[in-house]
Each structure stands twice: as C-alpha cells, then as structure tokens.
Amino acid sequence: MPPEASETVISVRDVHKSYGKGQATTAVLRGVSLEIKQGEIVALIGQSGSGKSTLLNIIGSLDTWDKGSVEVMGIDFSKARESELAAMRNEKVGFVFQSFNLLEHLTCIENVILPASFTSIKENDAREQGMEALRRVGLGELAHRPPGELSGGQKQRVAIARALYNKPQLLLCDEPTGNLDSETGENVIEFFGELNREDGVTLLIVTHEERLSKFAQRVVHIRDGIIQSDETGVSGESKTNSDSVGEEKVS
Amino acid sequence: MTTGKLLKLVLDNARRHRREFVLSGFGIVVGVAAFVFFLALSMGVRNKVLEVFPLERVEVIAPTAGMAGVDLTRRMDESTVEQIRNQKVVDVASIIPRMTIDFPVSLSGYFEGNRMALEFIGDGVDPAYVREDDIGEMFKDWEADDTPLLDCQLPKFSCDGLYYCERSDMKCHHRVPVVVSRNLIEVYNKNYAKSHGLPVIGEMEQFIVQRGGLSKMRLYFDLGQSVVDMNQKNLKAEPKRVEGVLLGISERAIPLGATIPIGYVQRWNREYVGEKSATAYSSIIVELKRKEDVAPFGKWLIDVPNLRLEDSLGERFASIITIITLIFIVIALVIVTISAINIAHSFFMQVSERRKEIGLLRSIGGTQNNIRMLFVGEAALLGFLAGLVGVALGVAIAMVGDWAFVNHTADFAFKPKTLFDFQLWIPLCGLGVAVLFGVIGGALPARKAAKMQPAEALRQ
Ligand SMILES: Nc1ncnc2c1ncn2[C@@H]1O[C@H](COP(=O)(O)OP(=O)(O)OP(=O)(O)O)[C@@H](O)[C@H]1O
Ligand SMILES: [Mg+2]
C-alpha cells in the first residue's frame, strides 16, 4: 500500500443526481463526497439501487450529475470538453463491467485493441501492445478466438486486458466478479491485487461480494444515495454484512 | 480516430450485419438502377435526335405578314445575308441562303426498271457550300456563264458524258447536278425500299458504281408540271423537261428532298414566275460555331424586323426528352427516398440493438462524433455498395433492352444501334445519389447513437 502522501486521483464533492421531474423525481445521489488517492483499492458497497453504479459512472465521465463537483486525475469534469473526457477514458481510465461487454464479431485481440480505434497508433503496434495485455491476464493463446468460445472467467480476463490496454492509472469496476463462480472470481481478485502492487493502479470496485470488500483496504458504504460509512484498514464485514450478502444475486 | 480505423470498424460492422445490409439496401439498388437506366436512355436518344437535327444549325425565315391586304412579308436577299454576317453577337460558321422553286416541278426517273415520278421537293443553294469529296467540282451551275454549248450529235440526238440533248435549241446541256441528304436515303431505305422490294442503299458511292456510274443516275425535271395538281395556272412559260444527275449525298442538302445549285432555281423562277421570285431567298441556314450561341443569336434576331428563327426540331425534341427524363429521375428519386426512410428505420433498430456496444465504445474513448461517424460511415458504405449493384443492374437492364430493341423491333428510319449512352458522369451520379441517400437515411439514427448517454447505453 502506497504512503499517505500520494496524490488525489478522484475527488467528488457534494454530488447530487436525480431522475425525473416534479412529483416523480427520484434522488439517486444526495450529496456524495469522496476522495480517493493514488494506489488505493476502494470497495463501494450498498444495497441494490443505492446509487453505486451511478456514482461509478459519474466518476468515469459516463454519466451526468446535477450538482456538486467531480475531478478525476486533475480534470475538472464541469469544465472539460467532451474530447478531453474521451481522451481521459481512452488513456487513463479502464472500465471493467459485470457483463464483460465484448464484441462477439471480433476476436479477443481485436476486442483488446478496440481502444486503439480512437488513437492514431499503427495497427501492428497496437496488436503487439494488445498481446502484451492478453499475456498479462494469461490468455495469449486465445488471442485469435472469438469471445463466444471462451468461458465466463476467460471473457472477463479479456475485458480486463482491454481495460489494461492503455496502461491506465485508474480502474473502475462495476461488479467485476458478479457473473463469475467463486474460484474464477478469486483469480480476478488476485489479479487486481497484483496490478495494484506492481503498477500502482488505483481501483474503485463496486461489489456485493464479501471477499472482494475484505480484500479492499478501504470500504465505502452507500445507502440511498448517501455515504454511510467510509472505513480504511478495517474489513467491511462487521458493518455491511447484512446488506451486501443479502442482495448478492439481485442485480 | 483516423479514417483508416473508422473504415475498419465500418467494414467489420458491415460484415456482421450483412443481412440487414442487403435488405435495407435493396431500395437503393432499384432506385439507382432506374436512375442510371433512364439517364443513359435519354442521353442516348437525345444524342441521336441531335445528330439528325443538329442544334447549332438554325434556319432564319421571313414569316408571312400582311396588313389591310398589303403583303408586308419581308423579302430576304443578299442584304439580309450581309446583315447576319455583320452582326457581332455570335460567331457564325457559315450562312447558307436557300431558294425554293416557286412553281410546280415533278421529278421522275427509272429505277430498277420502273418509272417513278414524284412532286419535286427541293431547293437551291450556293454550290460553294456543297463540297463533299465524292461530289467535288461536279455540283455547280454549268450554265452560269456564256460558254458556248456543243451541238447535239445527229442522228441520235446524243451528247457525250453527262450532257443531254435539248431539242429546243439542239445543244448539249450538262445535266442539272442533284444532291440529297443522308436522311432522305435513310427514310428511303427503311420506310420505302423494303415495302416496295427495292434495293437498300448502303454506301452511296458504292451504290452509284454498282449501277454503272453517274451516267446511270439520270433524273428528269418536268418544269411547270405537277404530279398532284393537273391544272396549271398562269405560269409565264410552257412546261419543259430538263435532265438531272444524282451526284450523291451532301450535308447541305434539304433534309427530306433534293437540292440543286441555286443558279438553276433563280433562272427557272425568273422564267416561270417572275423577277421577284428569282431574287428572294426562302430561308437562310445559319450554322453557329457553338450550341450555346443559339440563344443569343435568336435574341439578336428578335430585334431584326420581320425575321425569326424557324423552330428547330432538334430543340423541340430535346426539350420533350428533357421533360420525360426529369419525370423518370423524379420517380427514381422517390424510390431512393423511400429507401432512405427504410434505411433510417433499419438503422434506428440497429442503434437500439447495439446500445451496449455504443456505450462500450464511449467508455474506451470514443467521442460523440466518433459514434456518429461510425453509423454515418456504415450508411454511406451501404449506399455505396447498393449504388454499385444498382449501377451494374441498370447497365445490365440497358444491355438487355438494347439487345431486344436491335433484334426484335422493326427497322425504321434513323433506328440507332444503341438506345443508351452511358457517359461516365451517369454511373458516377448514380453512385453519388446512392451514397447521399444512404447518408441521409443514416443521419438521424447516427445522431441518436451519438447523443446516447454512455451510462444509459451500458445499463443492463
Ligand atoms: N434512467 C433512469 N431513470 C430513472 N431511474 C433510474 C435510471 N437509472 C437509474 N435509475 C435509478 O437510480 C437508482 C440507482 O441506480 P444504480 O444503478 O446506481 O444502483 P446500484 O446501486 O448500482 O444498484 P445494483 O446493485 O442493483 O446495480 C435506482 O433506483 C435506479 O432505479
Ligand atoms: Mg449497479
């Protein structure tokens, strides 16, 4: 774990977001503030519908918010242009989703180098870089297979390789082990730990899984759009067992 | 995003959605095929018409005018020619005054053993303008000067070469040289020869040689006699027979008749009608250097009292063809427009189906514009491919049509060997229209895809 003095990667201040208008308004985030420093592994837990994904997407510049400020890796989202945010997602942030989101008509390697579509890197260089990422997740041999022929765990590793393609400093994961059995889930978790130790990658992980929240050094508990607890160095189990375990298979 | 990478993504997606592509591109194929087919057809027909009736050849006439029983029709003569020559509005290639014969003349001859007689429709032009190679110096007024004529050879009243014996003065006169237009031969071949069992005239020169040379191309002008109207009224001279010789085909011959040197017409008109008739031109053919000069020349002519342009057949046909073409192009465009709507529909469905893909692309660095270009690119590719097939289909149908037209329709005058003229711009336009309407169809769905909120798109 990096020292305290490391710099701030994510800074969310008093963020509000609601859907709908007038009577039908539902507030999803009601004044969320969160600061995450470089090299941290943070688990974001909470009931289904509590606003975890919404918060993660806002931090990833994939969603809008109504009030408050969001700053990620020195970029103030409210002032940044769209192209600037796109470049940030392309170069500095990796996303890992519960449902993998691989394109079935492409091979694994083509999926991994998809982010290169939005840069001017040469196809061959991109493939080399992509192979490196695939080997890193242990799937070098499956590079030219379509994802349809892979198991769930393998698919998620391809998706992680895609997230790692541009060597991001920040990995945003929305229930990355949600679709995996416990053993493959374990592997993914271990791999996240390795990334954090070796490359100093900052991880923000939305999860229901106890194992994953135990593995994090910091657990943020969100409830009804408000951060209820934010504990560092303590495993999240004592606080959130009842909520997270109970809801595990809902989403 | 570089163009190459965009293209790769677009091609990958096109391969993935082959079926949708074929279905939604079908309308474009049909529309473009129709577009290309009708354009090439109208260009082909138009070319043929303008070949027969060249636009840059206009005819100046003096319309009949009168007031209170006084004939005010302008008489066109040398001064009119001068006036046209001296105008500064357009460049003229040539000015050819023509004079019709103002009294009845019948023309007869023996052809394939039959005597054939018909009313002479023809006029005279200055021989200087008739200079086709095979006609050369023969087409001239042989009696323009007072060169003494030889006496007929007795006892058979014969003369040498192309001369004939005129009994009234017992002198050998040269036969009046006659030229006809290619159009007349065409009409004869297609509409007359076959139905009357007469030989078709291929190459005129060859035809003359086959028949035994110019001495066998003899014609008879019966001045003052009509095949149709037997009661001749107050002509100033008695009917008389003059011999002629058909020399061949000339560009400058009257379209559906025969043309002789103007000197003969002047003398005959003077003899049978009077001096006035011998000095007035019936029309003046003006050949302009460029088609575009027709309008300014016509405008200039409006200001010249009592002269106007004869309506050009070529122009009239050309504008009818243009109107018909426009109608067909509108039909083709309607088909293509419906197809664009179809494409829009199909692409809207694609955008919903590929929601998560759109969200993913945004999450890995795609901008709104990248997403838009992706869908627009797919629509453009769809249009392009459908356009290619459409152009090929249009050309194929045209070829089948041509084949059927050439082999399975009756021969007629001016029947072209092909109905179509596929100038390069036609398939290019077809492709352009296809791509354009593909893009139009894809524009709104592409916009919808681009405006999609990434988080929303990624939602389960
Ligand atoms: N487009 C939308 N319109 C209306 N309500 C929405 C919309 N998107 C999300 N919500 C609501 O916002 C709330 C928070 O959603 P979010 O996806 O952030 O929850 P979550 O904590 O990730 O839940 P889960 O654990 O089930 O994934 C939910 O109540 C959801 O119904
Ligand atoms: Mg969620």
Side-chain angles (χ1 to χ4, degrees):
Chain A
M1 186 190 159
E4 306 294 286
S6 54
E7 62 184 275
T8 303
V9 174
I10 298 170
S11 169
V12 175
R13 287 217 180 81
D14 192 30
V15 163
H16 292 253
K17 180 176 177 72
S18 53
Y19 287 106
K21 281 187 191 121
Q23 294 278 303
T25 308
T26 44
V28 178
L29 297 179
R30 301 185 293 163
V32 170
S33 296
L34 184 64
E35 190 141 318
I36 296 178
K37 299 212 184 302
Q38 191 185 338
E40 277 191 292
I41 300 179
V42 180
L44 189 58
I45 62 174
Q47 275 187 340
S48 181
S50 56
K52 305 185 294 294
S53 296
T54 306
L55 180 59
L56 191 82
N57 285 336
I58 289 172
I59 290 168
S61 76
L62 297 178
D63 209 347
T64 55
W65 69 99
D66 303 333
K67 210 182 125 204
S69 76
V70 182
E71 200 177 311
V72 173
M73 274 174 295
I75 300 174
D76 182 346
F77 283 12
S78 57
K79 290 183 189 137
R81 277 175 300 127
E82 194 230 344
S83 57
E84 231 174 303
L85 294 175
M88 180 200 78
R89 296 193 296 268
N90 184 262
E91 295 159 16
K92 297 180 177 159
V93 180
F95 290 89
V96 179
F97 309 96
Q98 179 175 357
S99 55
F100 322 136
N101 284 334
L102 297 174
L103 301 186
E104 300 290 334
H105 67 290
L106 301 177
T107 62
C108 289
I109 179 69
E110 284 170 332
N111 267 288
V112 171
I113 64 170
L114 212 48
S117 302
F118 306 107
T119 66
S120 52
I121 188 172
K122 284 207 194 71
E123 171 89 8
N124 281 344
D125 298 346
R127 279 184 178 265
E128 219 163 278
Q129 201 172 319
M131 280 308 294
E132 201 180 304
L134 263 181
R135 272 188 230 107
R136 179 108 201 243
V137 299
L139 289 181
E141 280 87 71
L142 301 182
H144 300 292
R145 298 260 215 96
E149 297 176 10
L150 273 52
S151 72
Q154 287 171 326
K155 281 184 189 171
Q156 191 58 302
R157 269 145 65 192
V158 174
I160 292 169
R162 180 182 60 202
L164 296 181
Y165 167 81
N166 266 332
K167 304 199 168 63
Q169 291 116 282
L170 174 63
L171 218 49
L172 300 176
C173 313
D174 198 344
E175 316 215 15
T177 58
N179 277 347
L180 305 178
D181 61 57
S182 55
E183 201 185 317
T184 37
E186 196 75 45
N187 290 339
V188 168
I189 292 169
E190 261 166 41
F191 183 70
F192 282 159
E194 185 188 314
L195 273 179
N196 178 256
R197 277 192 309 280
E198 292 175 7
D199 300 15
V201 174
T202 309
L203 287 133
L204 177 57
I205 306 169
V206 169
T207 187
H208 279 119
E209 293 214 35
E210 206 183 332
R211 273 176 304 148
L212 203 43
S213 53
K214 274 183 191 158
F215 151 83
Q217 307 113 358
R218 179 177 166 195
V219 177
V220 175
H221 188 182
I222 186 166
R223 182 176 213 142
D224 292 336
I226 292 172
I227 290 184
Q228 216 177 32
S229 69
D230 184 343
E231 303 189 348
T232 307
V234 188
S235 64
E237 63 209 298
S238 60
K239 202 105 201 164
T240 54
N241 250 353
S242 56
D243 289 340
S244 61
V245 173
E247 301 287 342
E248 186 165 345
K249 288 295 169 216
V250 169
S251 57
Chain B
M1 183 156 58
T2 62
T3 317
K5 289 191 170 159
L6 173 65
L7 197 62
K8 185 180 181 304
L9 285 182
V10 166
L11 287 173
D12 282 342
N13 287 331
R15 219 172 299 135
R16 176 162 52 136
H17 300 290
R18 284 183 291 266
R19 191 190 300 267
E20 290 88 336
F21 251 56
V22 172
L23 286 178
S24 50
F26 186 72
I28 295 258
V29 170
V30 173
V32 167
F35 181 82
V36 166
F37 178 89
F38 289 123
L39 262 179
L41 177 62
S42 76
M43 288 316 289
V45 173
R46 187 192 170 90
N47 286 353
K48 189 68 194 178
V49 166
L50 294 184
E51 193 181 295
V52 179
F53 310 100
L55 270 186
E56 61 271 28
R57 186 182 297 173
V58 296
E59 190 177 8
V60 177
I61 54 166
T64 340
M67 199 188 268
V70 186
D71 184 13
L72 293 176
T73 306
R74 174 168 173 157
R75 284 161 39 82
M76 294 194 294
D77 51 23
E78 252 340 281
S79 71
T80 321
V81 173
E82 276 311 301
Q83 199 175 358
I84 294 172
R85 182 167 292 130
N86 292 336
Q87 54 78 28
K88 294 280 181 292
V89 182
V90 294
D91 287 344
V92 294
S94 55
I95 302 170
I96 310 168
R98 314 192 69 107
M99 187 179 288
T100 49
I101 300 175
D102 285 344
F103 61 100
V105 174
S106 77
L107 184 69
S108 57
Y110 289 89
F111 189 50
E112 297 295 304
N114 303 311
R115 178 176 183 274
M116 308 211 300
L118 38 96
E119 197 72 10
F120 178 66
I121 305 167
D123 65 358
V125 300
D126 185 339
Y129 293 114
V130 177
R131 278 297 160 261
E132 275 80 4
D133 287 345
D134 55 326
I135 293 164
E137 298 295 312
M138 307 265 297
F139 190 84
K140 68 169 190 186
D141 184 357
W142 293 85
E143 292 171 26
D145 46 26
D146 295 328
T147 323
L149 300 168
L150 297 174
D151 289 329
C152 296
Q153 294 162 17
L154 291 171
K156 294 172 77 181
F157 302 103
S158 56
C159 295
D160 293 333
L162 294 177
Y163 288 80
Y164 71 98
C165 182
E166 169 58 55
R167 303 290 180 101
S168 60
D169 59 4
M170 290 305 285
K171 297 284 186 194
C172 284
H173 294 258
H174 194 279
R175 288 182 189 143
V176 178
V178 178
V179 289
V180 293
S181 78
R182 194 170 296 284
N183 295 353
L184 183 70
I185 301 296
E186 177 78 16
V187 170
Y188 160 80
N189 279 344
K190 298 293 172 66
N191 297 5
Y192 195 78
K194 282 195 184 145
S195 53
H196 291 72
L198 295 172
V200 165
I201 303 173
E203 283 303 312
M204 192 65 183
E205 258 177 282
Q206 224 175 319
F207 178 77
I208 292 172
V209 173
Q210 274 165 11
R211 289 178 57 86
L214 285 177
S215 63
K216 294 283 161 35
M217 305 302 291
R218 198 193 310 189
L219 301 168
Y220 303 97
F221 291 96
D222 285 306
L223 308 184
Q225 281 194 339
S226 171
V227 198
V228 263
D229 184 5
M230 289 305 165
N231 322 317
Q232 279 322 311
K233 44 221 144 167
N234 48 20
L235 290 178
K236 291 169 73 182
E238 287 302 308
K240 169 169 89 170
R241 167 166 287 199
V242 173
E243 291 191 21
V245 54
L246 177 58
L247 292 178
I249 292 173
S250 172
E251 281 269 300
R252 297 290 166 44
I254 194 170
L256 294 174
T259 293
I260 61 176
I262 199 165
Y264 293 99
V265 179
Q266 283 170 326
R267 275 197 302 280
W268 295 351
N269 276 349
R270 185 173 295 124
E271 197 178 338
Y272 283 82
V273 187
E275 187 56 33
K276 243 174 125 180
S277 194
T279 49
Y281 296 130
S282 53
S283 73
I284 299 173
I285 303 292
V286 179
E287 292 183 346
L288 302 168
K289 292 220 168 103
R290 292 170 301 136
K291 285 194 202 57
E292 298 74 51
D293 285 345
V294 173
F297 181 71
K299 212 174 265 170
W300 170 77
L301 205 60
I302 288 173
D303 298 335
V304 181
N306 295 327
L307 287 188
R308 68 172 178 84
L309 281 186
E310 176 69 304
D311 289 344
S312 146
L313 275 179
E315 202 176 339
R316 262 187 279 171
F317 277 126
S319 44
I320 291 170
I321 292 168
T322 305
I323 290 167
I324 295 174
T325 310
L326 284 178
I327 292 172
F328 280 121
I329 287 180
V330 167
I331 292 173
L333 289 184
V334 168
I335 298 175
V336 177
T337 305
I338 292 171
S339 175
I341 295 169
N342 193 23
I343 288 176
H345 180 72
S346 160
F347 269 63
F348 270 125
M349 296 208 325
Q350 290 251 343
V351 169
S352 324
E353 273 167 29
R354 289 160 65 183
R355 207 172 46 100
K356 293 197 82 177
E357 176 187 333
I358 294 164
L360 172 81
L361 291 176
R362 294 293 301 278
S363 80
I364 57 174
T367 59
Q368 291 192 5
N369 202 37
N370 291 152
I371 303 296
R372 178 183 296 115
M373 289 314 290
L374 186 62
F375 281 91
V376 168
E378 282 175 38
L381 178 70
L382 169 62
F384 181 75
L385 294 178
L388 278 184
V389 177
V391 168
L393 183 67
V395 173
I397 295 174
M399 279 161 69
V400 172
D402 249 355
W403 176 83
F405 172 74
V406 171
N407 296 306
H408 294 277
T409 58
D411 211 0
F412 58 85
F414 311 115
K415 183 176 176 178
K417 291 201 177 54
T418 171
L419 284 173
F420 299 89
D421 181 8
F422 279 99
Q423 293 166 15
L424 184 64
W425 66 267
I426 294 176
L428 288 184
C429 258
L431 271 185
V433 165
V435 172
L436 179 69
F437 279 78
V439 169
I440 289 174
L444 283 180
R447 196 184 121 94
K448 184 186 172 196
K451 294 280 175 224
M452 224 178 236
Q453 191 57 241
E456 195 70 36
L458 281 165
R459 194 177 300 279
Q460 302 295 318

